Amino acid sequence: MSEPATLVSLPDRGPRRAPGVDSTGLVRMRRQRIVVIGAGIAGLVAARVLQRQRFCCTLVEPRADLAGGGAGLMLWPSALRALTRLGYRDVLDLGAPVHESIVRDTNGRTLLRIPLGTRQDSQPRATPRQSLMHLLRRDLQCDLVPLACTGIRRAGAGFAVELTDAPALAADGVLVAT
């Protein structure tokens, strides 16, 4: 699904666009389409970054359930800051803060206690993977193609992303996040 072309006066500003000439001879620009292969944590964050840079983005993911597996994960302060800068301010409400890490022997006896920060903004958070995936999907305005990618090939100035049981997707760029 391509977007209609729009006339732009300064191609080096605003949305990332690729040139085309219409029937009147005017140069028209269209948003560049990037295909992101994989809609896990990395793919969803990459799609968000591309969307914020005004690229047109399509996610290719064969799994119907984007929440995927995994019981939980630890979001460290640097990840929390990065996600907050990308507009995911609710990430600070996910899960629970972790105050310390405890190393135990096979009998359960504590061998080592490691404090993990005293201020709220310096504490990692333990969160269910499904909660993070839900947050990353929210407000994302990308097409989702629920098929597997079987290959990528050059096609003219861009790429063709080969899919199972469907025509190839045309793209100006491809990002693999699997």
Side-chain angles (χ1 to χ4, degrees):
M1 169 186 340
S2 67
E3 272 188 30
T6 55
L7 184 64
V8 293
S9 57
L10 297 171
D12 59 332
R13 300 203 179 174
R16 307 281 189 205
R17 298 185 181 269
V21 179
D22 71 6
S23 61
T24 66
L26 290 175
V27 174
R28 297 215 174 243
M29 308 300 277
R30 65 171 178 79
R31 287 177 64 184
Q32 287 187 325
R33 177 169 299 281
I34 307 297
V35 173
V36 177
I37 299 170
I41 293 169
L44 292 173
V45 170
R48 174 69 165 235
V49 170
L50 290 166
Q51 180 181 304
R52 287 174 61 123
Q53 293 296 315
R54 297 188 180 100
F55 286 94
C56 187
C57 189
T58 299
L59 288 161
V60 174
E61 175 60 60
R63 292 177 296 147
D65 176 20
L66 289 185
L73 50 89
M74 187 79 76
L75 293 172
W76 294 93
S78 58
L80 294 169
R81 284 190 299 276
L83 290 169
T84 300
R85 277 191 223 116
L86 286 172
Y88 297 114
R89 286 172 181 71
D90 294 348
V91 72
L92 298 174
D93 299 328
L94 292 180
V98 178
H99 305 285
E100 68 179 349
S101 179
I102 302 172
V103 178
R104 299 180 191 272
D105 66 15
T106 55
N107 297 319
R109 192 180 78 225
T110 298
L111 300 175
L112 178 65
R113 288 181 179 274
I114 304 168
L116 296 178
T118 54
R119 297 187 342 244
Q120 182 174 351
D121 64 346
S122 67
Q123 291 177 333
R125 296 189 73 83
T127 186
R129 186 175 193 277
Q130 291 81 1
S131 297
L132 179 61
M133 293 293 288
H134 176 73
L135 176 70
L136 296 177
R137 282 192 317 270
R138 193 181 70 204
D139 301 330
L140 194 59
Q141 297 172 352
C142 291
D143 293 331
L144 175 64
V145 176
L147 299 171
C149 172
T150 59
I152 302 166
R153 62 180 164 78
R154 278 295 221 170
F159 299 91
V161 178
E162 303 288 342
L163 304 169
T164 55
D165 305 321
L169 290 174
D172 298 300
V174 178
L175 188 149
V176 180
T178 58

